[in-house]
């Protein structure tokens, strides 16, 4: 992929009574796991075009879900369509780990966690629809019987293009919103601090991805991160 050079901008939301504030300004501030490698000043390659690998990129400072956030990135899910797999998951988790590869997309097995998956391969035994899809999943569960939202079918993501993604959390409304390619594709309303994280509002966020027998390079490129940081 030839990345268009853009300045990396990370900001901190100044909220009244917010916890300790801080900001990072480089992809160097992400903790990488598995196959993940830094591509340039704004992009991280989570997986190369290699079978049976998984990678993760975790921002090293946690966030507090008692405060709002808005995260904007670009996802690149390779250019192998029929022969491509498996997808990227945007994850919230109390620690920074990489889950199972293949159909697990580097997210499976992470507990407790909340994952927003962008799945590019149909696994029939997991209840996947025929097309690429988005779903909000709890606790590293890959089967859509466990979905909190979705699966929602979306147009093909494996076209080598950047797909803008914005994830926002509004704690006053207890609403999580996901926009992909400037379209609202998923909304969840509920107390995720209590129901997912057992009352612990301090979590890390990151992106995970994996391949199996079928492969794709899969990248995440940081555009704008706005939220309150905690120690």
């Amino acid at each position: 992929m030839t990345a268009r050079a853009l300045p990396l901008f990370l900001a901190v939301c100044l909220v009244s009574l917010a916890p300790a504030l801080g900001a990072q300004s480089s992809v160097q501030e992400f903790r990488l796991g598995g196959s993940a490698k830094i591509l340039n000043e704004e992009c991280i390659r989570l997986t190369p075009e290699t079978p049976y690998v998984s990678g993760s990129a975790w921002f090293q400072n946690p966030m507090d879900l008692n405060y709002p956030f808005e995260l904007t990135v670009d996802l690149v899910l390779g250019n192998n369509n029929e022969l491509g797999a498996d997808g990227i998951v945007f994850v919230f988790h109390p620690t920074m780990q990489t889950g199972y590869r293949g159909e697990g997309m580097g997210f499976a097995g992470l507990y407790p966690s909340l994952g927003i998956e962008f799945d590019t391969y149909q696994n029939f035994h997991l209840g996947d629809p025929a097309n690429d899809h988005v779903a909000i999943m709890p606790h590293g569960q890959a089967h859509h019987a466990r979905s909190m939202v979705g699966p929602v079918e979306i147009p093909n993501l494996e076209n080598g293009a950047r797909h803008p993604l914005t994830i926002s959390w509004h704690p006053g409304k207890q609403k999580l919103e996901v926009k992909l390619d400037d379209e609202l594709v998923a909304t969840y309303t509920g107390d995720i601090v209590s129901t997912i994280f057992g009352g612990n509002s301090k979590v890390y966020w990151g992106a995970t991805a994996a391949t199996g027998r079928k492969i794709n390079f899969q990248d995440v490129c940081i555009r704008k991160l706005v939220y309150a940081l905690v120690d």
Side-chain angles (χ1 to χ4, degrees):
M1 180 191 69
T2 301
R4 181 167 57 96
L6 293 172
L8 180 63
F9 171 69
L10 293 92
V12 178
C13 182
L14 301 175
V15 231
S16 63
L17 300 179
L21 299 177
Q24 305 293 352
S25 60
S26 169
V27 289
Q28 300 289 340
E29 300 300 329
F30 286 76
R31 179 177 295 181
L32 306 185
S35 62
K37 303 291 183 185
I38 292 173
L39 284 182
N40 52 45
E41 65 179 6
E42 62 175 351
C43 296
I44 296 169
R45 176 148 294 171
L46 298 171
T47 67
E49 290 183 283
T50 302
Y52 301 107
V53 295
S54 59
S56 62
W58 291 94
F59 196 57
Q60 295 188 65
N61 283 333
M63 63 166 53
D64 190 335
L65 294 176
N66 287 322
Y67 299 89
F69 69 75
E70 182 174 286
L71 312 178
T72 303
V73 302
D74 288 334
L75 301 181
V76 184
L77 289 117
N79 49 28
N80 296 325
N81 189 9
E82 294 301 323
L83 298 177
D86 271 273
I88 292 176
V89 185
F90 207 93
V91 187
F92 301 90
H93 186 50
T95 61
M96 295 179 279
Q97 300 180 41
T98 307
Y100 301 130
R101 63 192 184 188
E103 64 193 29
M105 290 180 285
F107 164 68
L110 299 184
Y111 181 94
S113 65
L114 179 72
I116 304 168
E117 69 163 20
F118 302 88
D119 194 332
T120 60
Y121 184 74
Q122 185 180 24
N123 291 287
F124 294 96
H125 62 287
L126 298 180
D128 287 351
N131 296 320
D132 294 352
H133 55 279
V134 176
I136 301 178
M137 312 290 288
H139 302 318
Q141 300 285 339
H143 199 293
H144 287 299
R146 301 286 188 177
S147 294
M148 299 162 62
V149 176
V152 177
E153 294 191 64
I154 55 177
N156 176 44
L157 297 176
E158 299 163 293
N159 57 7
R162 288 191 179 205
H163 296 274
L165 166 67
T166 298
I167 299 172
S168 57
W169 167 243
H170 311 280
K173 300 177 181 178
Q174 295 189 337
K175 180 178 288 187
L176 182 69
E177 295 183 327
V178 182
K179 292 183 178 180
L180 182 68
D181 290 328
D182 299 319
E183 298 287 339
L184 183 65
V185 293
T187 302
Y188 175 77
T189 302
D191 186 355
I192 60 177
V193 173
S194 295
T195 59
I196 299 295
F197 298 108
N200 176 26
S201 64
K202 180 180 174 179
V203 298
Y204 294 92
W205 68 268
T208 69
T211 64
R213 182 173 55 86
K214 296 186 177 182
I215 60 175
N216 256 321
F217 67 84
Q218 298 173 111
D219 306 340
V220 59
C221 301
I222 311 303
R223 294 177 60 190
K224 183 180 179 183
L225 314 177
V226 182
Y227 60 93
L229 301 176
V230 294
D231 291 330

